[in-house]
């Protein structure tokens, strides 16, 4: 029987194969041999636990043997069900353990949607067919199970199920009464047959007599579904004791489904927590290209303390951050989120890298004892082609030069964040155009099979080998480089989560940068308009207007010279700095106001604009496309 809308088709061998751990077909319930004939040495139908015993033929010893077979089957089946972790594995375990050992077909219905924990189920009560498994039909095999409408033709080796995909359980109906009773019922009673017709649909012909069992699936607090076990007419019918077997299977399945749903909710919450802790999209600052990767430690532990970030700074600079909080638990993720937020706030103040780490260390101590983390904070200046790096106990970054040489940067390691009372040191290094800086956490280079320095050397060699493939004049594509870096992980190397941040330095050439100082006087806006032409004939009017408005606002509050800088790349970026810490805010000017419309014009004409507070004042910037 194939699954319908949400139900998966039966795949692989039927239950009772080598992987089930349950008795083989025929050992329970009068299993059906090939072509309807008993195999050599196989018990005759009715001689096993699910059949009808011959009166007085076996006596007490035969009954004891059948009960022993039932117990062995129930033990093997429940172990198989318990092996499942997620919902589909548990339902599949039930199907594989029961077909064909206990039944020739099974249909599993679950509530839609499934309630989670103490969550109140939604009305109406709807059951959806989750999975349907049955023995495969052959040309010379026995007939169908009575699930097909009368007169329907069944092609050989084709599994079909006309059972209803959805069933709304009507209050006061036969199905609702059976589900409320919790105990499995056989199809020989009128109420059970009516409940089966209601569940499977009016087009289905339910097997007559004791060849169908309807077992409610009850979790810890409520009924969450139902399982239907069916046998062919050639097979011995279900016995009263088989209802106890069905009850055991249904109970273990329902409890497993309850746990799987709760685990799925926890995994969803963990995924959402981790996703919101990390940047949804990396920024696109001028002069640098970025790529990142994050891998959890394992599918069962998807949250951790590793993080990365890229924060645009004034002057077209960008801060690159990678950190690692001890552990990979929900607590680690929460601490990571607080430290990442603190780092973003400190970056907005444009503090030096060593000062950022110092304040992060103080914040970690305020969060509690043993809140340890490593962190590497770097600031790249595309105009100066320099990078300033400070390290707090983190693995050193690797710089891949344009010619293919990979270099482990010598950065003072420092103490981890949270130790307290430790000074951090920053170093300033060259960042040549075309080079790639790789920041990573220790999960990429350290495992049970290798120490951290061996892993760093292997990573360096891998980067150099990858760069050789693209030649000395072309750096490797950034996204492909990140994927190739992750391939350095071998079997058994995933002991920790991994954060990876790669930065390709493009830089800004000196010919594309202009810088001036303007005295805070009334003539400054006029001079700024003349300077802003700077060979930009296509943008002349728009640039002059916006520069004039921003400089006018800066001169109004400045007490020291105002700076004007233009950077020309794929966009024109204008930056105006002054010593006033007050950030401008756009407001709606009244018709009688003489001012208050400057930022309105900037907002309408510029592609982007913003303002950043510095320790010495602020910078207001805007960007225009190079062609309007």
């Amino acid at each position: 029987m194939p699954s319908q809308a949400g139900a998966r088709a039966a795949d692989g061998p039927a239950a009772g194969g080598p992987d089930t751990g349950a008795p083989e077909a025929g050992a329970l319930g009068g299993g059906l041999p090939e072509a309807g004939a008993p195999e050599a040495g196989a018990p005759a139908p009715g001689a096993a636990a699910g059949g009808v015993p011959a009166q007085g033929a076996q006596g007490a010893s035969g009954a004891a043997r059948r009960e022993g077979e039932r117990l062995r089957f129930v033990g093997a089946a429940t172990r198989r069900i318990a092996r499942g972790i997620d919902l589909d594995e548990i339902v599949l375990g039930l199907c594989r353990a029961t077909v064909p050992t206990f039944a020739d077909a099974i249909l599993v219905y679950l509530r839609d949607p499934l309630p989670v924990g103490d969550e109140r189920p939604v009305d109406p009560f709807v059951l959806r067919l989750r999975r349907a498994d049955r023995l495969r039909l052959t040309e010379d095999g026995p007939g169908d199970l009575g699930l097909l409408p009368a007169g329907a033709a069944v092609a050989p080796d084709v599994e079909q199920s006309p059972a209803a995909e959805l069933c709304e359980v009507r209050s006061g109906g036969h199905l609702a009464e059976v589900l409320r009773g919790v105990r499995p019922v056989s199809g020989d009673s009128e109420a059970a047959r009516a409940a089966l017709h209601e569940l499977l649909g009016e087009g289905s012909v339910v097997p007559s007599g004791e060849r169908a069992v309807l077992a409610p699936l009850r979790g810890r607090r409520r009924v969450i579904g139902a399982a239907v076990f069916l046998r062919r007419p050639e097979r011995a019918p279900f016995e009263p004791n088989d209802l106890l077997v069905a009850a055991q299977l249904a109970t273990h399945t329902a409890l497993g489904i309850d746990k799987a749903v709760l685990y799925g909710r926890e995994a969803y919450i963990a995924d959402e927590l981790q996703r919101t802790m990390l940047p949804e999209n990396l920024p696109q600052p001028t002069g640098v290209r970025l790529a990142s990767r994050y891998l959890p430690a394992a599918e069962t532990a998807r949250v951790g303390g590793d993080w990365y970030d890229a924060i645009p700074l004034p002057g077209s600079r960008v801060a690159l951050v990678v950190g690692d909080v001890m552990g990979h638990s929900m607590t680690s993720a929460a601490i990571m989120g607080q430290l990442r937020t603190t780092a973003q706030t400190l970056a907005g103040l444009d503090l030096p890298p060593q000062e950022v780490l110092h304040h992060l260390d103080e914040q970690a101590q305020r969060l509690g004892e043993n809140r340890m983390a490593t962190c590497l904070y770097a600031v790249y200046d595309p105009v100066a082609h320099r990078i300033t790096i400070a390290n707090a106990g983190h693995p050193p970054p690797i710089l891949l030069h344009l010619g293919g040489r990979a270099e482990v940067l010598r950065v003072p390691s420092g103490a981890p964040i949270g130790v307290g009372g430790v000074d951090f040191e920053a170093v300033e290094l060259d960042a040549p155009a075309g080079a790639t800086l790789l920041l990573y956490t220790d999960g990429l280079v350290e495992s049970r099979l290798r120490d951290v320095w061996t892993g760093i050397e292997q990573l360096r060699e891998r980067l150099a080998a990858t760069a050789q493939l693209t030649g000395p004049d072309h750096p490797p594509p950034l996204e492909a480089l990140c994927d190739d870096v992750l391939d350095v992980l071998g079997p058994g190397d995933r002991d920790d989560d991994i954060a990876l941040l790669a930065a390709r330095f493009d830089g800004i050439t000196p010919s594309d940068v202009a810088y001036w100082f303007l005295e805070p006087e009334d003539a400054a806006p006029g001079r700024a308009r003349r300077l802003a032409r700077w060979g930009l004939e296509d943008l002349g009017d728009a640039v002059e207007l916006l520069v004039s408005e921003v400089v006018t606002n800066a001169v109004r509050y400045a007490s020291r010279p105002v700076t004007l800088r233009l950077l020309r790349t794929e966009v024109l970026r204008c930056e105006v700095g002054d010593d006033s810490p007050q950030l401008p805010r756009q407001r709606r000017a009244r018709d009688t106001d003489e001012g208050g419309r400057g930022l309105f014009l900037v907002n309408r004409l510029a592609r982007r604009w913003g303002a950043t507070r510095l320790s010495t004042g602020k910078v207001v910037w805007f960007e225009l496309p190079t062609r309007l």
Side-chain angles (χ1 to χ4, degrees), residues 583-604:
L583 298 180
R585 292 287 183 266
Q586 184 179 349
R587 64 182 180 88
R588 183 179 297 275
R590 295 188 297 268
D591 294 340
T592 57
D593 290 344
E594 295 183 2
R597 298 176 178 84
L599 288 182
F600 175 78
L601 293 174
V602 173
N603 187 61
R604 292 298 298 268

Side-chain angles (χ1 to χ4, degrees), residues 218-232:
R218 181 176 179 80
R220 292 180 298 168
R221 292 177 177 84
R222 61 185 67 88
V223 173
I224 59 175
V228 181
F229 304 95
L230 301 164
R231 285 182 180 174
R232 289 197 178 101

Side-chain angles (χ1 to χ4, degrees), residues 179-196:
L179 296 179
R180 187 178 298 113
V182 176
R183 295 180 179 179
V185 295
S186 63
D188 57 344
S189 67
E190 192 64 30
R193 290 185 59 81
L196 287 169

Side-chain angles (χ1 to χ4, degrees), residues 147-479:
L147 286 178
L148 299 177
V154 181
D157 296 323
V158 175
E159 298 187 5
Q160 300 181 359
S161 173
E165 172 197 342
L166 289 175
C167 171
E168 182 175 340
V169 181
R170 298 187 300 272
S171 178
H174 294 285
L175 180 57
E177 290 298 322
V178 171
L179 296 179
R180 187 178 298 113
V182 176
R183 295 180 179 179
V185 295
S186 63
D188 57 344
S189 67
E190 192 64 30
R193 290 185 59 81
L196 287 169
H197 277 296
E198 186 178 338
L199 177 63
L200 304 180
E202 293 300 328
S204 298
V205 180
V206 180
S208 60
E210 298 176 346
R211 301 187 182 277
V213 171
L214 173 57
L217 301 178
R218 181 176 179 80
R220 292 180 298 168
R221 292 177 177 84
R222 61 185 67 88
V223 173
I224 59 175
V228 181
F229 304 95
L230 301 164
R231 285 182 180 174
R232 289 197 178 101
E234 293 80 6
R235 187 169 179 175
F238 290 106
E239 291 184 350
N241 285 342
D242 289 330
L243 298 181
L244 300 178
V245 174
Q248 287 284 333
L249 299 177
T251 298
H252 283 275
T253 301
L255 293 177
I257 291 173
D258 254 355
K259 293 178 182 178
V261 172
L262 286 172
Y263 170 78
R265 173 62 63 88
E266 291 180 359
Y268 171 78
I269 293 173
D271 274 344
E272 288 298 308
L273 174 64
Q274 189 71 52
R275 189 175 295 110
T276 54
M277 292 294 186
L278 298 174
E280 184 176 354
N281 295 301
L282 290 174
Q284 298 178 348
T286 303
V288 61
R289 284 172 286 170
L290 302 172
S292 62
R293 296 290 186 273
Y294 174 80
L295 293 178
E299 288 297 321
T300 55
R302 299 189 63 85
V303 293
D306 290 19
W307 90 91
Y308 61 87
D309 214 341
I311 309 167
L313 300 177
S316 296
R317 295 170 300 144
V318 59
L320 308 172
V321 191
V322 168
D324 182 4
V325 178
M326 289 178 57
H328 40 79
S329 63
M330 298 286 280
T331 301
S332 301
I335 296 172
M336 175 266 285
Q338 296 180 72
L339 293 179
R340 179 178 174 239
T341 302
T342 303
Q344 289 178 328
T345 303
L346 296 171
L349 300 176
D350 200 23
L351 297 178
Q354 65 272 23
E355 288 297 319
V356 172
L357 294 184
H358 174 72
H359 288 293
L360 284 176
D361 180 59
E362 292 181 337
Q363 174 66 11
Q365 295 178 66
R366 285 192 290 268
L367 293 177
E369 297 181 357
N370 299 323
R371 304 307 192 196
M372 308 285 290
T374 64
C375 182
L376 192 143
Y377 188 94
V379 175
Y380 170 64
D381 189 339
V383 177
H385 295 271
R386 304 282 287 177
I387 187 168
T388 305
I389 306 175
N391 191 4
H394 204 77
I398 298 178
L399 185 65
L400 180 62
H401 294 269
L402 185 59
R405 181 172 64 92
E407 173 188 7
V408 179
L409 298 182
R410 296 184 177 181
V411 180
S413 61
I417 290 172
V419 172
V422 179
D423 291 331
F424 298 99
E425 182 181 353
V427 295
E428 187 174 346
L429 305 169
D430 287 329
T436 304
L437 183 70
L438 195 72
L439 310 178
Y440 53 91
T441 55
D442 59 357
L444 181 64
V445 294
E446 186 179 20
S447 70
R448 296 186 301 268
L449 304 179
R450 59 182 177 182
D451 62 78
V452 62
W453 288 107
T454 300
I456 291 174
E457 180 60 23
Q458 291 177 356
L459 178 59
R460 188 195 66 80
E461 293 174 354
R462 185 60 175 262
L463 287 172
T466 302
Q468 295 297 327
L469 299 177
T470 57
D473 300 327
H474 302 282
L478 204 56
E479 295 291 339

